[in-house]
């Protein structure tokens, strides 16, 4: 009897869903996914929210299996270890995109910084400070010109070759690309609103059910372990926001702190006077990848160089820089979306 009641209830529920009586603002699914070394949260609204979230979860696992440097089976790991490999056209497309961002940022963003990351132990979590001689021996193999496409194959793969000593690491662009892929899935499932968080990469879709913008906090780099400590809060609707920060990954040796964003010109952690860079764009697909590449690149640059890059209008984006000396610098296209946080010790500046 119980079983029949349950069946009837299920039938009634599915019928009412079919008749569209479920308020899309009420139907909501939120799942946590651990992938790409990152805690991700996918929050979707609408009648397809559950299906969309699980499809998104599958997609980030697929991308992780393709992009991982530590999983020996991944296409990236195979290319790195063999020096040449047939890789999916999709992966080649992402590598080409990364090479274009390298060129646009004067090499501040560079996926071929991989051997240097390995020398510092950021790939394996076995941290150490490499010697100057070791870094100097690695730097000649760093540079996008060391990656070559040898041809496209009938099975939709591309043969790629790396110069001896060159390796690639897509860690600075992979989560942004994943956010673009999740956005595509959410669109397929007609998700009207939601919030996708892949660590420091966020995509706000639509607005909140109460009609307000999504609130996205920019972590206070001075207080990284306190999830409630913000340098500022962004109010976002249909927008990507990606933050790179020295607080996100680092180790200490002999009282000195070494973080994970490397200046490809020197092989050392970037010393730009910035503690975090947040790049914000509208929600156009592809912008997740752009924001991720630029947040890393602009972190490597100094404040004025980063602002000049913004002013150059090569790409359409806005910026929030947090500086070592306690300033939050926001570009003028984003001031209306930024809420200051009282009492956090920062001063706020708008630049144009
Ligand atoms: P993100 O958090 O997006 O800024 O990416 C940082 C990660 O990208 C690091 O953990 C490294 O794996 C890698 N990386 C570090 N420096 C660079 C760089 N200059 N260009 C490209 N990737 C980098
Ligand atoms: Mg990045």
């Amino acid at each position: 009897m119980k079983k029949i009641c349950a069946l009837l209830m299920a039938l009634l529920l599915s019928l009412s869903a079919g008749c569209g009586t479920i308020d899309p603002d009420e139907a909501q699914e939120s799942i946590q996914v651990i992938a790409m070394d990152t805690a991700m949260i996918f929050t979707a609204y609408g009648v397809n929210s559950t299906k969309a979230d699980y499809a998104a979860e599958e997609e980030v696992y697929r991308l992780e299996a393709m992009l991982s440097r530590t999983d020996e089976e991944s296409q990236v790991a195979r290319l790195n270890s063999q020096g040449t490999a047939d890789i999916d056209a999709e992966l080649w497309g992402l590598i080409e995109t990364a090479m274009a961002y390298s060129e646009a940022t004067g090499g501040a963003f560079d996926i071929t910084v991989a051997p240097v990351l390995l020398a510092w132990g950021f790939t394996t979590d076995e941290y150490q400070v490499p010697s100057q001689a070791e870094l100097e021996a690695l730097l000649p193999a760093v540079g996008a010109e060391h990656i070559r496409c040898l041809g496209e194959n009938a099975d939709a793969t591309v043969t790629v070759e790396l110069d001896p000593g060159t390796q690639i690491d897509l860690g600075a662009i992979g989560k942004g690309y994943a956010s673009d892929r999740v956005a595509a899935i959410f669109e397929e499932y007609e998700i009207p609103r939601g919030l996708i968080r892949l660590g420091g990469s966020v995509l706000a879709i639509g607005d909140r059910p109460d009609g307000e913008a999504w609130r996205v906090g920019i972590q206070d780099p001075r207080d990284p372990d306190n999830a409630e400590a913000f340098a500022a809060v962004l109010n976002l609707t249909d927008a990507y926001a990606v933050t790179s920060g020295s607080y996100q990954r680092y180790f200490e040796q002999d009282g000195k702190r070494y973080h994970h964003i490397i200046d490809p010109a020197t092989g050392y952690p970037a010393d730009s006077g910035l503690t975090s860079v947040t790049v914000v764009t509208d929600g156009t697909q592809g912008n997740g990848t752009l924001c991720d590449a630029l947040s890393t690149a602009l972190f490597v640059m100094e404040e004025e160089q980063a602002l000049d890059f913004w002013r150059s209008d090569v790409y359409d984006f806005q910026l929030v820089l947090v500086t070592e000396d306690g300033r939050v610098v926001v570009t003028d296209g984003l001031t209306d979306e930024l809420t200051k946080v009282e009492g956090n010790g920062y001063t706020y500046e708008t630049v144009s």
Side-chain angles (χ1 to χ4, degrees), residues 95-113 142-145 147 173 264 293-294 297 301 309 315:
I95 293 172
E96 273 192 308
T97 303
M99 289 160 76
Y101 290 138
S102 256
E103 184 164 353
T105 63
F109 176 84
D110 197 329
I111 57 171
T112 63
V113 81
V142 173
E145 69 277 13
I147 307 172
I173 200 173
L294 291 189
M301 298 180 192
F309 186 82
Y315 300 107

Side-chain angles (χ1 to χ4, degrees), residues 7-258:
L7 274 174
L8 271 174
M9 274 303 283
L11 188 66
L12 276 173
L13 276 175
S14 62
L15 276 177
S16 61
C19 296
T21 51
I22 288 186
D23 179 350
D25 287 345
E26 294 288 311
Q28 188 232 327
E29 183 71 79
S30 201
I31 62 169
Q32 180 153 17
V33 178
I34 308 291
M36 305 169 106
D37 246 347
T38 305
M40 307 179 175
I41 300 174
F42 303 153
T43 300
Y45 283 79
V47 289
N48 295 326
S49 52
T50 303
K51 283 187 203 151
D53 269 3
Y54 289 135
E57 181 182 29
E58 284 307 308
E59 179 65 358
V60 293
Y61 291 150
R62 183 185 74 83
L63 293 174
E64 178 177 46
M66 179 167 82
L67 302 176
S68 168
R69 261 189 93 186
T70 48
D71 169 3
E72 285 171 19
E73 301 289 308
S74 85
Q75 294 188 49
V76 166
R78 268 197 305 115
L79 177 61
N80 280 339
S81 67
Q82 299 167 8
T84 179
D86 293 345
I87 60 172
D88 286 354
E90 179 190 12
L91 176 56
W92 173 243
L94 183 59
I95 293 172
E96 273 192 308
T97 303
M99 289 160 76
Y101 290 138
S102 256
E103 184 164 353
T105 63
F109 176 84
D110 197 329
I111 57 171
T112 63
V113 81
V116 178
L117 291 165
L118 196 63
W120 284 94
F122 285 115
T123 317
T124 53
D125 290 348
E126 286 161 18
Y127 302 121
Q128 59 186 337
V129 179
S131 69
Q132 180 70 33
E134 194 180 344
L135 289 175
E136 275 169 20
L138 295 174
L139 287 179
V142 173
E145 69 277 13
H146 299 293
I147 307 172
R148 264 183 310 279
C149 166
L150 298 184
E152 293 172 18
N153 308 311
D155 61 354
T157 62
V158 174
T159 306
V160 176
E161 183 181 62
L162 305 177
D163 278 339
T166 298
Q167 295 197 11
I168 60 165
D169 184 313
L170 291 157
I173 200 173
K175 290 195 285 282
Y177 179 67
S179 71
D180 282 327
R181 289 294 312 133
V182 172
I185 287 168
F186 274 30
E187 200 176 297
E188 224 173 274
Y189 282 92
E190 298 178 346
I191 300 302
R193 53 168 53 89
L195 194 70
I196 300 166
R197 266 186 184 279
L198 302 87
S201 296
V202 178
L203 168 61
I205 299 169
D207 52 7
R208 297 194 317 198
D210 64 359
E212 296 276 319
W214 295 99
R215 311 265 187 263
V216 176
I218 297 177
Q219 180 68 44
D220 180 354
R222 289 173 170 172
D223 196 3
D225 298 326
N226 180 356
E228 309 281 301
F230 301 118
V233 176
L234 292 171
N235 308 303
L236 300 177
T237 305
D238 283 320
Y240 286 92
V242 178
T243 300
S244 286
S246 47
Y247 63 90
Q248 289 170 340
R249 211 155 155 224
Y250 61 85
F251 69 97
E252 274 168 22
Q253 192 173 304
D254 302 328
K256 224 182 145 203
R257 195 176 268 209
Y258 300 92

